[in-house]
Amino acid sequence: MAREFEGKSVLVTGSASGIGAAIALQLAEEGASVVVADHDSRGAQRIVKKIHDAGGEAKAFKVDVTHPSEVHAAVTFTIEAYGALHCAVNNAGISGPNKPTTDYTVKEWQRVIDTNLNSVFYGLKYQIPAIIEAGGGSIVNMSSILGSNGFANAPAYVTTKHALVGMTKSSALEYAAQGVRINAVGPGFIETPLLTRKTDAETMEHLSSLHPIGRLGRAEEVAALACFLLSDRASFITGSYHLVDGGYSAQ
Ligand code: NAP
């Protein structure tokens, strides 16, 4: 594999599990120094060990992305550990309860908005100046196919993933001339703990059937797109929303 990220440091939130972990592992394989940031510090340490065992470089950082000061601290930690921040992936997220809009409590609604949406604003707020200071780089915000489609009984999740697309486009316009590319990724349903831990076999079967390719996606397939967008091979790509969804959105 090409060592495209040699000399680059990358901060990935929500990288103790699922898609974020796959991104951290792929980036490290391609030569990046990776900060594995998650509120699950044991899980983050496990991913760091995997990276070290494969000969890569990574450090774990405990962060709750709903707290702006902790998101800021993650950026500072990356710069202190590796000298600069070149790229970031705002990936941490939760699905929230599965029920219709009027059944949501205000507290449940706010938790999803804080975790999936406000966190990304905090990320951009502190990552962009650091990336400009490093001479430019790239950010990926993890949206979803539900960033462009509705889905019943996930109102807060769908709202946050749509909003992330708008946030991505606006910030990309603001910082394009300063060498910061910002894109959103929209995965279909991906087989990770976020999906599997509260989905029964019948629902999994149904979700698989929604993808013309005939199966759920794998975290590594999302990581491949995210790593491409972070790399210099994507040097003319900014402000856009990229699907990796087995054909879900083409129907
Ligand atoms: P995952 O396996 O649950 O991984 C998400 C990670 O983020 C977990 O380690 C989780 O910890 C962590 N996290 C949650 N809240 C956090 C917080 N406040 N601060 C720091 N870390 C936090 O889920 P995934 O499927 O890989 O999802 C990653 C991203 O992809 C999410 O933004 C999700 O919306 C998006 N996505 C997923 C799918 C899918 O089908 N899986 C599809 C489209 C988009 P806990 O395990 O403790 O919650």
Side-chain angles (χ1 to χ4, degrees):
M1 177 153 317
R3 304 272 296 173
E4 312 207 41
F5 289 91
E6 205 73 65
K8 300 272 171 72
S9 58
V10 188
L11 168 62
V12 187
T13 70
S15 45
S17 172
I19 293 169
I23 293 172
L25 287 159
Q26 237 172 77
L27 286 167
E29 200 178 323
E30 294 181 28
S33 299
V34 183
V35 172
V36 178
D38 202 291
H39 65 176
D40 171 8
S41 40
R42 278 229 217 120
Q45 288 293 356
R46 266 197 304 276
I47 299 303
V48 166
K49 182 169 183 320
K50 265 193 172 184
I51 289 173
H52 288 169
D53 288 350
E57 174 52 40
K59 293 186 194 300
F61 187 79
K62 184 171 166 51
V63 64
D64 179 342
V65 295
T66 65
H67 295 299
S69 60
E70 294 188 25
V71 176
H72 191 187
V75 171
T76 305
F77 176 83
T78 309
I79 294 168
E80 283 172 2
Y82 296 121
L85 177 75
H86 300 100
C87 298
V89 184
N90 294 308
N91 165 80
I94 56 172
S95 54
N98 293 328
K99 54 188 181 182
T101 304
T102 56
D103 289 359
Y104 259 65
T105 65
V106 170
K107 201 169 167 196
E108 287 167 342
W109 177 268
Q110 282 170 342
R111 179 159 177 261
V112 179
I113 303 290
D114 279 344
T115 308
N116 293 6
L117 180 59
N118 291 339
S119 63
V120 180
F121 162 64
Y122 309 145
L124 295 178
K125 179 168 175 58
Y126 299 115
Q127 292 154 7
I128 289 169
I131 291 173
I132 291 172
E133 180 71 28
S138 175
I139 297 175
V140 165
N141 296 327
M142 196 55 64
S143 178
S144 163
I145 39 166
L146 305 184
S148 53
N149 297 281
F151 201 80
N153 300 319
Y157 186 85
V158 171
T159 299
T160 60
K161 296 303 182 181
H162 273 68
L164 280 189
V165 174
M167 196 191 295
T168 299
K169 289 179 180 174
S170 302
S171 55
L173 293 175
E174 291 161 357
Y175 298 99
Q178 287 164 275
V180 186
R181 295 184 299 101
I182 308 173
N183 290 287
V185 165
F189 287 88
I190 310 298
E191 206 162 348
T192 68
L194 176 134
L195 187 65
T196 55
R197 78 181 139 218
K198 58 180 195 182
T199 312
D200 59 39
E202 197 185 329
T203 311
M204 290 289 273
E205 195 65 29
H206 169 66
L207 292 176
S208 296
S209 76
L210 299 175
H211 302 75
I213 275 184
R215 61 169 174 83
L216 298 173
R218 292 187 284 270
E220 295 70 27
E221 293 171 316
V222 181
L225 174 60
C227 291
F228 168 71
L229 290 170
L230 293 173
S231 78
D232 291 341
R233 281 180 297 155
S235 50
F236 200 56
I237 305 178
T238 196
S240 40
Y241 167 56
H242 305 266
L243 299 169
V244 46
D245 70 353
Y248 183 108
S249 306
Q251 301 171 95

